[in-house]
Amino acid sequence: MNKTALRALLRERRALIAPEAHGFVRTTGQGRRAPGLSQHQVDQLLHRTLGTYHRLESGNYPNPPTALLRDVARLFGLNEQEWTSLCRYALLQDPPGPLHLSSGKEVPGIWREAVNGISHIAYVTDASWDMLTYNEACAEVFPGREVPLNIMRWMVLDPAAREILLDWGTAWAPMLLPQLRAALATRPQDETLRQIEKEVLADPVAAPLYGADKPYPHPDGDERPLLHAEKGEGWVIMCAAQPLTAPGARMMILVFHSGRERLHARAPLLRAT
């Protein structure tokens, strides 16, 4: 626990909340004049035992439950980056999921311009793998340049994808399906992800692979075979990143090279000299 950082974050955000906005009457006589909610009032609003919030803010609550942290974060109106900071300060780990279900569903519009400025295949999806923006190089991959609305659904369920994603059953699906499972673990109420999982479980080819439950956190640096609609057979090396304002959203850059021979089993690492 980082007590100093935790105390500073909570005090600052607590001071911004007017007690009157929650039905409390600010006293005008002698007594407390500090801005914002009192620690006692926070306990009342969160329906916690008196003294609970004081323990948290003072750093005397080792391993506080995530439910308490989430309730405090929502009461204080924290954004996703502040939510991440709160969990790191209090638990020394990243949060188990987003603070709000809507998080990860949108990214700043400048990402479209950024993606269009990339010469390689590039696209951005939200936390449900719905396509947010892509460049011309991405469109060229698909027959008729028809880019799927949801790239995960297309990759794991569309019969056409199993022709384009070469060696689908060994080079693609075993890596894609664990990503779907991991996303659902952090966003269990996401209707899009739940529907994709339902369709996967009903698919006789994808279901056994999904049930294998192999760990595979991300595709960053992977090289996989691809049948490009305009350039023919080749390989793509993947670069994966996340817009910091949208937890769960992802930006993918795929570096394509033609030919049946792969360049790397995994891309070489870059290190500062």
Side-chain angles (χ1 to χ4, degrees), residues 21-44:
H22 292 277
F24 295 107
V25 178
R26 188 183 295 274
T27 58
T28 57
Q30 299 256 336
R32 183 180 180 278
R33 298 293 182 90
L37 290 170
S38 70
Q39 294 181 348
H40 186 156
Q41 289 167 343
V42 173
D43 284 327
Q44 288 180 278

Side-chain angles (χ1 to χ4, degrees), residues 197-213:
E197 181 186 50
K198 181 178 179 181
E199 294 172 27
V200 165
L201 293 174
D203 185 280
V205 178
L209 296 172
Y210 188 68
D213 194 21

Side-chain angles (χ1 to χ4, degrees), residues 1-17 32 35-39 42 46 52-61 64 68-78 82-83 85-87 89-91:
M1 175 179 287
N2 187 331
K3 294 184 179 182
T4 301
L6 177 64
R7 185 181 305 115
L9 172 63
L10 292 177
R11 280 183 176 176
E12 177 185 341
R13 295 312 300 261
R14 179 166 61 86
L16 297 177
I17 303 174
R32 183 180 180 278
L37 290 170
S38 70
Q39 294 181 348
V42 173
L46 298 182
T52 299
Y53 178 77
H54 171 74
R55 291 176 60 205
L56 177 65
E57 187 176 292
S58 64
N60 293 318
Y61 197 149
L68 172 62
L69 297 179
R70 189 180 296 275
D71 287 347
V72 169
R74 288 175 172 167
L75 175 62
F76 289 3
L78 302 191
E82 292 165 334
W83 165 235
S85 295
L86 176 61
C87 290
Y89 298 156
L91 301 172

Side-chain angles (χ1 to χ4, degrees), residues 14-239:
R14 179 166 61 86
L16 297 177
I17 303 174
E20 296 84 352
H22 292 277
F24 295 107
V25 178
R26 188 183 295 274
T27 58
T28 57
Q30 299 256 336
R32 183 180 180 278
R33 298 293 182 90
L37 290 170
S38 70
Q39 294 181 348
H40 186 156
Q41 289 167 343
V42 173
D43 284 327
Q44 288 180 278
L45 291 170
L46 298 182
H47 306 288
R48 292 306 201 282
T49 303
L50 296 183
T52 299
Y53 178 77
H54 171 74
R55 291 176 60 205
L56 177 65
E57 187 176 292
S58 64
N60 293 318
Y61 197 149
N63 300 313
T66 303
L68 172 62
L69 297 179
R70 189 180 296 275
D71 287 347
V72 169
R74 288 175 172 167
L75 175 62
F76 289 3
L78 302 191
N79 61 32
E80 292 295 337
Q81 290 146 297
E82 292 165 334
W83 165 235
T84 297
S85 295
L86 176 61
C87 290
R88 288 176 178 175
Y89 298 156
L91 301 172
L92 299 180
Q93 64 185 39
D94 285 341
L99 182 59
H100 305 288
L101 186 59
S102 60
S103 298
K105 295 294 187 176
E106 58 186 18
V107 299
I110 192 62
W111 279 92
R112 173 170 292 157
E113 184 175 341
V115 166
N116 286 334
I118 298 172
S119 59
H120 297 295
I121 301 164
Y123 62 87
V124 176
T125 67
D126 68 11
S128 306
W129 278 281
D130 284 333
M131 189 69 75
L132 296 180
T133 187
Y134 55 87
N135 63 4
E136 185 67 16
C138 177
E140 291 173 356
V141 171
F142 302 94
R145 302 195 175 188
E146 295 183 6
V147 179
L149 297 177
N150 185 289
I151 194 67
M152 176 59 77
R153 175 179 278 110
W154 179 81
M155 289 189 294
V156 299
L157 291 165
D158 195 312
R162 298 174 189 181
E163 301 297 325
I164 294 170
L165 307 178
L166 299 177
D167 297 333
W168 178 86
T170 55
W172 290 88
M175 291 76 175
L176 292 168
L177 292 167
Q179 291 182 63
L180 174 61
R181 186 184 293 276
L184 269 166
T186 59
R187 309 178 72 91
Q189 303 306 315
D190 188 305
E191 291 298 332
T192 300
L193 296 178
R194 292 174 66 182
Q195 180 59 33
I196 295 173
E197 181 186 50
K198 181 178 179 181
E199 294 172 27
V200 165
L201 293 174
D203 185 280
V205 178
L209 296 172
Y210 188 68
D213 194 21
K214 294 182 179 179
Y216 199 82
H218 60 73
D220 197 29
D222 277 6
E223 185 176 23
R224 299 180 194 166
L226 178 81
L227 179 60
H228 195 291
E230 299 184 12
K231 298 179 181 179
E233 287 188 36
W235 295 77
V236 287
I237 301 177
M238 302 180 181
C239 301

